[in-house]
Amino acid sequence: MQYNRFSSPLVARQAFSYTASVMLAMQHFNNRDASVVPELADLGECSVLFPDPIIVDSKADGKTSVKALWDWTSSNQSPCAVLGPVSTTSNFDVLPAVNAFGIPLINYYNEDAELSKEDGTLGLTLSLLGRAQSIVEYLKDREYLAIWRTVSPQDAAMAEAIDKLGGDKLQ
């Protein structure tokens, strides 16, 4: 069975890659494996560990995500957070449920400021400016830079924010 049966194989591969990345990062943190993040070796006797995640293939459907959350919490304790789902609409569908449980919804894919503006929202999302600032910090010490090709209004807004924030740092 194909993971995340979207019509686009690219989206399915991205979803699988995101999941694998999260699993690997959690494993490295729990084992204090400093091979990728050297600072993990400095945690010493830190007792914080990530529990095994519950992964649900929602197929970008908010109702499926809410049902999976409800089914899991009815037989287990409340989770500490919800990561995803991938679509903005699905995030808004899940938002009331995570707010009812008092846990954060971590929006890892979309840049929707409304998710962090809504009253009572525990959603976490990286804003356009936050993402642009991260890109500028990364690029400012690089010798070469690829050309930014805008495809959508979001891409154009990102390019404008990078230019505004980077200014002379990137020239």
Side-chain angles (χ1 to χ4, degrees):
M1 177 182 342
Q2 179 185 4
Y3 178 85
N4 208 335
R5 288 180 243 146
F6 285 99
S7 58
S8 166
L10 173 63
V11 175
R13 285 193 306 272
Q14 286 175 330
F16 182 82
S17 294
Y18 288 154
T19 304
S21 298
V22 167
M23 298 291 294
L24 183 61
M26 289 173 58
Q27 182 181 36
H28 277 226
F29 183 86
N30 287 346
N31 295 334
R32 308 305 189 243
D33 181 341
S35 61
V36 176
V37 180
E39 293 81 1
L40 287 177
D42 300 333
L43 290 179
E45 296 300 317
C46 174
S47 62
V48 176
L49 295 173
F50 286 105
D52 289 335
I54 304 302
I55 298 169
V56 175
D57 182 4
S58 67
K59 299 171 190 62
D61 177 56
K63 292 174 186 70
T64 302
S65 300
V66 172
K67 182 170 180 358
L69 179 62
W70 180 261
D71 289 347
W72 191 80
T73 55
S74 65
S75 60
N76 297 285
Q77 58 181 299
S78 178
C80 57
V82 171
L83 175 64
V86 70
S87 77
T88 302
T89 304
S90 297
N91 275 281
F92 279 108
D93 289 344
V94 172
L95 198 56
V98 296
N99 283 339
F101 285 113
I103 57 175
L105 169 63
I106 303 167
N107 175 9
Y108 64 91
Y109 186 76
N110 303 287
E111 293 170 350
D112 195 317
E114 293 302 312
L115 281 172
S116 47
K117 284 184 187 173
E118 195 167 309
D119 291 338
T121 297
L122 295 170
L124 305 172
T125 186
L126 185 59
S127 68
L128 174 73
L129 288 178
R131 185 178 266 179
Q133 184 64 43
S134 297
I135 291 171
V136 167
E137 290 299 315
Y138 175 78
L139 293 176
K140 71 181 182 182
D141 296 325
R142 301 298 182 264
E143 185 175 346
Y144 300 101
L145 175 66
I147 295 173
W148 188 282
R149 178 181 163 261
T150 59
V151 182
S152 67
Q154 293 86 354
D155 292 338
M158 176 62 78
E160 184 179 320
I162 289 171
D163 185 50
K164 180 180 176 182
L165 292 170
D168 58 348
K169 294 178 190 175
L170 298 178
Q171 295 178 4

